[in-house]
mmCIF file of all heavy atoms in Angstrom:
data_model
loop_
_atom_site.group_PDB
_atom_site.id
_atom_site.type_symbol
_atom_site.label_atom_id
_atom_site.label_comp_id
_atom_site.label_asym_id
_atom_site.label_seq_id
_atom_site.Cartn_x
_atom_site.Cartn_y
_atom_site.Cartn_z
ATOM 1 N N ILE A 278 -17.939 -15.612 -14.257
ATOM 2 C CA ILE A 278 -16.835 -15.165 -13.402
ATOM 3 C C ILE A 278 -15.981 -14.200 -14.223
ATOM 4 O O ILE A 278 -15.448 -14.590 -15.268
ATOM 5 C CB ILE A 278 -15.974 -16.358 -12.920
ATOM 6 C CG1 ILE A 278 -16.811 -17.360 -12.115
ATOM 7 C CG2 ILE A 278 -14.778 -15.848 -12.105
ATOM 8 C CD1 ILE A 278 -16.055 -18.656 -11.774
ATOM 9 N N VAL A 279 -15.870 -12.952 -13.776
ATOM 10 C CA VAL A 279 -15.006 -12.000 -14.461
ATOM 11 C C VAL A 279 -13.773 -11.745 -13.577
ATOM 12 O O VAL A 279 -13.888 -11.204 -12.488
ATOM 13 C CB VAL A 279 -15.750 -10.663 -14.746
ATOM 14 C CG1 VAL A 279 -14.894 -9.779 -15.640
ATOM 15 C CG2 VAL A 279 -17.094 -10.928 -15.408
ATOM 16 N N ASP A 280 -12.647 -12.210 -14.077
ATOM 17 C CA ASP A 280 -11.389 -12.087 -13.335
ATOM 18 C C ASP A 280 -10.774 -10.742 -13.705
ATOM 19 O O ASP A 280 -10.230 -10.570 -14.790
ATOM 20 C CB ASP A 280 -10.485 -13.260 -13.733
ATOM 21 C CG ASP A 280 -9.108 -13.219 -13.047
ATOM 22 O OD1 ASP A 280 -8.800 -12.229 -12.369
ATOM 23 O OD2 ASP A 280 -8.364 -14.218 -13.209
ATOM 24 N N GLU A 281 -10.880 -9.789 -12.793
ATOM 25 C CA GLU A 281 -10.444 -8.406 -13.054
ATOM 26 C C GLU A 281 -9.089 -8.082 -12.404
ATOM 27 O O GLU A 281 -8.908 -6.984 -11.867
ATOM 28 C CB GLU A 281 -11.524 -7.420 -12.626
ATOM 29 C CG GLU A 281 -12.804 -7.576 -13.439
ATOM 30 C CD GLU A 281 -13.825 -6.456 -13.251
ATOM 31 O OE1 GLU A 281 -13.655 -5.666 -12.290
ATOM 32 O OE2 GLU A 281 -14.769 -6.361 -14.047
ATOM 33 N N ALA A 282 -8.153 -9.027 -12.483
ATOM 34 C CA ALA A 282 -6.831 -8.803 -11.892
ATOM 35 C C ALA A 282 -6.198 -7.507 -12.399
ATOM 36 O O ALA A 282 -5.464 -6.847 -11.653
ATOM 37 C CB ALA A 282 -5.931 -9.998 -12.169
ATOM 38 N N TYR A 283 -6.490 -7.140 -13.655
ATOM 39 C CA TYR A 283 -5.795 -6.003 -14.286
ATOM 40 C C TYR A 283 -6.712 -4.822 -14.573
ATOM 41 O O TYR A 283 -6.354 -3.904 -15.303
ATOM 42 C CB TYR A 283 -5.125 -6.446 -15.576
ATOM 43 C CG TYR A 283 -4.124 -7.558 -15.345
ATOM 44 C CD1 TYR A 283 -4.429 -8.882 -15.654
ATOM 45 C CD2 TYR A 283 -2.902 -7.277 -14.786
ATOM 46 C CE1 TYR A 283 -3.509 -9.886 -15.432
ATOM 47 C CE2 TYR A 283 -1.967 -8.295 -14.524
ATOM 48 C CZ TYR A 283 -2.278 -9.589 -14.870
ATOM 49 O OH TYR A 283 -1.395 -10.583 -14.622
ATOM 50 N N VAL A 284 -7.942 -4.854 -14.055
ATOM 51 C CA VAL A 284 -8.945 -3.881 -14.503
ATOM 52 C C VAL A 284 -8.587 -2.439 -14.158
ATOM 53 O O VAL A 284 -9.039 -1.520 -14.820
ATOM 54 C CB VAL A 284 -10.333 -4.254 -13.960
ATOM 55 C CG1 VAL A 284 -10.501 -3.811 -12.502
ATOM 56 C CG2 VAL A 284 -11.462 -3.689 -14.822
ATOM 57 N N ASP A 285 -7.778 -2.245 -13.139
ATOM 58 C CA ASP A 285 -7.430 -0.877 -12.705
ATOM 59 C C ASP A 285 -6.523 -0.150 -13.698
ATOM 60 O O ASP A 285 -6.244 1.030 -13.509
ATOM 61 C CB ASP A 285 -6.760 -0.906 -11.331
ATOM 62 C CG ASP A 285 -7.725 -1.346 -10.233
ATOM 63 O OD1 ASP A 285 -8.908 -0.993 -10.331
ATOM 64 O OD2 ASP A 285 -7.297 -2.059 -9.311
ATOM 65 N N PHE A 286 -6.081 -0.843 -14.725
ATOM 66 C CA PHE A 286 -5.174 -0.204 -15.691
ATOM 67 C C PHE A 286 -5.874 0.198 -16.975
ATOM 68 O O PHE A 286 -5.280 0.231 -18.050
ATOM 69 C CB PHE A 286 -3.983 -1.109 -15.969
ATOM 70 C CG PHE A 286 -3.189 -1.473 -14.732
ATOM 71 C CD1 PHE A 286 -3.304 -2.727 -14.157
ATOM 72 C CD2 PHE A 286 -2.392 -0.516 -14.096
ATOM 73 C CE1 PHE A 286 -2.603 -3.054 -13.015
ATOM 74 C CE2 PHE A 286 -1.695 -0.849 -12.944
ATOM 75 C CZ PHE A 286 -1.792 -2.099 -12.390
ATOM 76 N N GLY A 287 -7.204 0.476 -16.886
ATOM 77 C CA GLY A 287 -7.846 1.114 -18.025
ATOM 78 C C GLY A 287 -9.024 0.399 -18.659
ATOM 79 O O GLY A 287 -9.597 0.917 -19.604
ATOM 80 N N ALA A 288 -9.435 -0.769 -18.147
ATOM 81 C CA ALA A 288 -10.599 -1.443 -18.726
ATOM 82 C C ALA A 288 -11.873 -1.083 -17.979
ATOM 83 O O ALA A 288 -11.811 -0.521 -16.880
ATOM 84 C CB ALA A 288 -10.377 -2.960 -18.706
ATOM 85 N N GLU A 289 -13.031 -1.437 -18.564
ATOM 86 C CA GLU A 289 -14.312 -1.230 -17.904
ATOM 87 C C GLU A 289 -14.594 -2.398 -16.968
ATOM 88 O O GLU A 289 -14.420 -3.550 -17.355
ATOM 89 C CB GLU A 289 -15.424 -1.113 -18.937
ATOM 90 C CG GLU A 289 -15.391 0.146 -19.764
ATOM 91 C CD GLU A 289 -16.555 0.227 -20.739
ATOM 92 O OE1 GLU A 289 -16.841 -0.753 -21.429
ATOM 93 O OE2 GLU A 289 -17.177 1.296 -20.794
ATOM 94 N N SER A 290 -15.069 -2.110 -15.767
ATOM 95 C CA SER A 290 -15.339 -3.156 -14.797
ATOM 96 C C SER A 290 -16.747 -3.714 -14.954
ATOM 97 O O SER A 290 -17.692 -2.979 -15.265
ATOM 98 C CB SER A 290 -15.156 -2.627 -13.382
ATOM 99 O OG SER A 290 -15.570 -3.609 -12.453
ATOM 100 N N ALA A 291 -16.886 -4.987 -14.663
ATOM 101 C CA ALA A 291 -18.224 -5.629 -14.651
ATOM 102 C C ALA A 291 -18.939 -5.368 -13.322
ATOM 103 O O ALA A 291 -20.080 -5.830 -13.133
ATOM 104 C CB ALA A 291 -18.081 -7.145 -14.884
ATOM 105 N N LEU A 292 -18.326 -4.605 -12.443
ATOM 106 C CA LEU A 292 -18.929 -4.271 -11.151
ATOM 107 C C LEU A 292 -20.326 -3.655 -11.328
ATOM 108 O O LEU A 292 -21.243 -3.910 -10.551
ATOM 109 C CB LEU A 292 -18.019 -3.308 -10.414
ATOM 110 C CG LEU A 292 -18.268 -3.052 -8.956
ATOM 111 C CD1 LEU A 292 -18.249 -4.357 -8.177
ATOM 112 C CD2 LEU A 292 -17.215 -2.107 -8.396
#
Side-chain angles (χ1 to χ4, degrees):
I278 300 172
V279 188
D280 179 352
E281 295 191 346
Y283 301 104
V284 79
D285 293 324
F286 302 106
E289 289 182 313
S290 173
L292 194 56

